[in-house]
Amino acid sequence: MAWRQYGFRHLHLIDLDAVAGRGNNQPEIQAVLGATDVEVQLGGGLRSREFIQRSLDDGAQRVIIGTRALEDPDWLAEMSGIFPGSIMVAADVRDRKILSHGWTRVHSKLVLDLVEELNGLPLAGVLVTAVHREEAMRGTDLSGGLGSINDLRALADRGVAAAVIGMGLYSGAMNPWTVADEFSE
């Protein structure tokens, strides 16, 4: 993994085809999981106990669950009890309201209310993405669109434990050596 040379020890991997309901990339995901020594959190189409178990068995340390976790709290409570510390809940937000089904449905629940509701479960965390800022890398709004190292510093100052960065690195807006050095565990 090329990012390993910079000092990154975590990989955020999403099967976008599975998210969109256009199949999946299981063989490629298994190849990545088998070829890396970094911690991987995997998301995309994980809606059943079997998929969670298979992903963890294949080498993912955490699985990311969105729509089903948001719409079936009893199932989420059961899964987090079976797989404590291994489930991240994905909360995509616009104007602080939760979105689901690939950003097509808006829930009346606010993201901070969701986080408070989930506090009692043995989750690995809550992954919040501010979708209205993500594409433009327009800075933070809880999370999403991280475009500079100052955005990462602002999140750290707020007590955020981790952040997913992609375009900020791929576009060259963030220096990978600096990010890995300053924010390594």
Side-chain angles (χ1 to χ4, degrees):
M1 182 174 96
W3 294 107
R4 185 77 165 106
Q5 70 182 340
Y6 296 105
F8 290 99
R9 296 189 312 265
H10 303 274
L11 175 65
H12 176 78
L13 185 60
I14 304 295
D15 186 340
L16 294 176
D17 288 331
V19 170
R22 294 186 306 251
N24 64 59
N25 296 288
Q26 279 304 120
E28 293 82 3
I29 290 169
Q30 288 175 325
V32 169
L33 290 171
T36 186
D37 63 345
V38 299
E39 286 192 20
V40 177
Q41 61 185 36
L42 173 64
L46 300 170
R47 296 179 183 96
S48 71
R49 177 182 177 165
E50 293 75 28
F51 277 122
I52 295 169
Q53 186 69 60
R54 182 181 321 144
S55 299
L56 296 173
D57 289 347
D58 286 346
Q61 280 72 37
R62 290 172 299 283
V63 295
I64 304 164
I65 304 172
T67 298
R68 177 126 193 227
L70 299 171
E71 295 184 348
D72 192 345
D74 292 336
W75 178 82
L76 177 61
E78 179 184 357
M79 293 302 104
S80 66
I82 295 170
F83 305 104
S86 297
I87 295 176
M88 303 249 332
V89 173
D92 295 337
V93 299
R94 180 177 289 122
D95 299 323
R96 309 220 189 250
K97 289 187 179 171
I98 305 290
L99 305 175
S100 67
H101 295 84
W103 305 348
T104 62
R105 292 190 191 165
V106 179
H107 298 263
S108 59
K109 186 178 296 185
L110 298 177
V111 66
L112 294 178
D113 295 334
L114 173 69
V115 170
E116 188 173 315
E117 289 174 15
L118 297 176
N119 269 340
L121 297 178
L123 298 171
V126 179
L127 176 63
V128 178
T129 302
V131 300
H132 58 289
R133 302 179 82 77
E134 179 71 18
E135 292 179 345
M137 294 189 323
R138 290 181 11 212
T140 61
D141 178 12
L142 297 180
S143 142
L146 300 171
S148 75
I149 197 156
N150 288 332
D151 292 337
L152 293 175
R153 290 174 181 140
L155 289 175
D157 288 345
R158 291 180 182 172
V160 172
V164 175
I165 50 175
M167 286 305 296
L169 291 172
Y170 291 120
S171 70
M174 291 186 207
N175 180 310
W177 294 107
T178 303
V179 171
D181 182 56
E182 186 171 336
F183 294 97
S184 65
E185 295 174 358

